[in-house]
Amino acid sequence: QVQLVESGGGLVQPGGSLRLSCAASGFTFSDYAMSWYRQPPGKERELVAQIFSTYGFTNYADSVKGRFTISRDNAKNTVYLEMNALKPEDTAVYYCKARKLLTSFWGQGTQVTVSS
């Protein structure tokens, strides 16, 4: 069974930090590009960051560049999203996604709320 299980979400103050984890199982993790998406309340889901399966190349949405860092540990089948200098507009459900060619897997999401 393919599973992507996000964890690490919660409530954090503006300017704070949070680290999300996504534990993968049921597929060959190292063959897949991994991404983090988010969906703020009342808005469309958007790409936040991605890391490719080869050489660890990454890219980020302009809104998070310089604040968020995506990384992966293929030995642990886990992808991370380190979030710093959080803003209220970062509040969203964050989703982990695995992709290879036309195949995509999604996690269930974890809530991140940035509020004072």
Side-chain angles (χ1 to χ4, degrees):
Q1 181 182 357
V2 170
Q3 285 191 306
L4 294 171
V5 181
E6 300 97 333
S7 62
L11 176 65
V12 64
Q13 294 184 342
S17 297
L18 210 57
R19 192 191 197 199
L20 305 183
S21 298
C22 174
S25 60
F27 63 98
T28 305
F29 179 81
S30 61
D31 288 343
Y32 282 71
M34 301 299 299
S35 301
W36 288 95
Y37 285 72
R38 68 186 182 188
Q39 187 165 19
K43 296 184 178 181
E44 299 295 317
R45 190 172 298 186
E46 63 181 354
L47 177 66
V48 176
Q50 60 186 150
I51 183 166
F52 296 107
S53 60
T54 306
Y55 303 120
F57 293 119
T58 60
N59 61 58
Y60 299 89
D62 288 342
S63 59
V64 307
K65 193 174 182 64
R67 299 189 297 123
F68 291 11
T69 302
I70 188 171
S71 61
R72 66 191 296 163
D73 187 338
N74 287 344
K76 295 183 177 180
N77 287 358
T78 302
V79 62
Y80 305 93
L81 185 67
E82 179 71 33
M83 305 184 293
N84 300 308
L86 284 161
K87 306 173 181 179
E89 50 263 46
D90 294 319
T91 295
V93 178
Y94 283 72
Y95 297 91
C96 176
K97 177 187 177 182
R99 178 185 59 80
K100 185 176 75 171
L101 301 177
L102 299 180
T103 301
S104 295
F105 306 127
W106 290 87
Q108 83 289 347
T110 185
Q111 177 70 48
V112 172
T113 302
V114 184
S115 176
S116 60

